[in-house]
Amino acid sequence: MALASQDPAADGTRDAAAPEAPAPDPGTAAAVAAAEAAGLAAGESVRIDSWIWAVRLVKTRSLGATACRGGHVHVNGERVKPAYSVRVGDEVRLRHEGRERVVIVKRLIRKRVGAPVAAQCYVDNSPPPPPREAVAPVGIRDRGTGRPTKRDRRELERLRGLGAPDAPGAPVVAPEPHGRRRPGR
């Protein structure tokens, strides 16, 4: 009988409007606990290139450093270098692979962690990615149709916006001289 009194639903004291929190995955909970145990002490800082790599916004740390040097990483509206120290609450904007990511730093980590744990280290305020139909490649041929004819190739180039060299409005390129012949001989 003691078990029934410990269950809040049995005596009707549970608030019906309060939503239940979903039970976390045991593997994720263990990974979060390990990341927190290996986390930083108060007052420590993390380089921005290391942090964006650790939370899986870029694939490698060197890509993170290159993005910083190229001006693709902004913290609180300021363009930053790879050694910039990021703090909790900073807004990080990253342009990577044709998409802009906007995240707010929730937790500082120095080591790369799994994706579920990394997602808990920031709040993602990024705009949604473009729909797949909008970025579908133009002019893809079906497999097994063989080599394209000259007409097919010209149509594919026209669809891709490359234009044929003999098309009206195409830039005229002078031919390069061949060999070591001198003019007039």
Side-chain angles (χ1 to χ4, degrees):
M1 199 58 127
L3 291 175
S5 64
Q6 291 177 353
D7 184 20
D11 59 358
T13 58
R14 179 180 289 172
D15 185 13
E20 285 189 31
D25 179 33
T28 304
V32 169
E36 286 178 354
L40 302 172
E44 289 192 46
S45 61
V46 178
R47 291 171 54 113
I48 185 66
D49 61 341
S50 178
W51 186 82
I52 62 176
W53 165 75
V55 296
R56 297 176 170 265
L57 294 177
V58 293
K59 288 187 179 183
T60 64
R61 183 171 171 194
S62 63
L63 278 177
T66 304
C68 291
R69 282 192 297 271
H72 301 290
V73 178
H74 293 253
V75 176
N76 298 328
E78 298 286 327
R79 185 175 160 184
V80 295
K81 293 182 178 181
Y84 181 85
S85 296
V86 68
R87 294 181 300 241
V88 174
D90 285 346
E91 179 190 57
V92 177
R93 289 181 174 267
L94 168 72
R95 278 183 300 157
H96 184 62
E97 296 178 352
R99 177 170 181 216
E100 183 175 25
R101 300 289 304 266
V102 181
V103 297
I104 307 292
V105 179
K106 272 178 43 178
R107 183 182 305 153
L108 296 177
I109 57 173
R110 191 170 279 145
K111 295 194 176 208
R112 192 166 173 99
V113 293
V117 179
Q120 295 179 357
C121 294
Y122 60 86
V123 178
D124 196 357
N125 294 334
S126 303
R132 289 207 167 238
E133 301 86 39
V135 293
V138 177
I140 292 191
R141 293 175 48 85
D142 294 329
R143 287 185 64 112
T145 57
R147 184 173 174 174
T149 63
K150 185 183 273 189
R151 183 178 189 180
D152 292 339
R153 180 184 54 82
R154 287 183 177 158
E155 287 178 7
L156 288 173
E157 287 177 350
R158 185 180 50 79
L159 284 173
R160 292 179 181 152
L162 300 176
D166 58 345
V172 178
V173 179
E176 294 183 17
H178 296 287
R180 298 177 65 170
R181 294 178 54 193
R182 292 185 201 162
R185 285 201 172 189

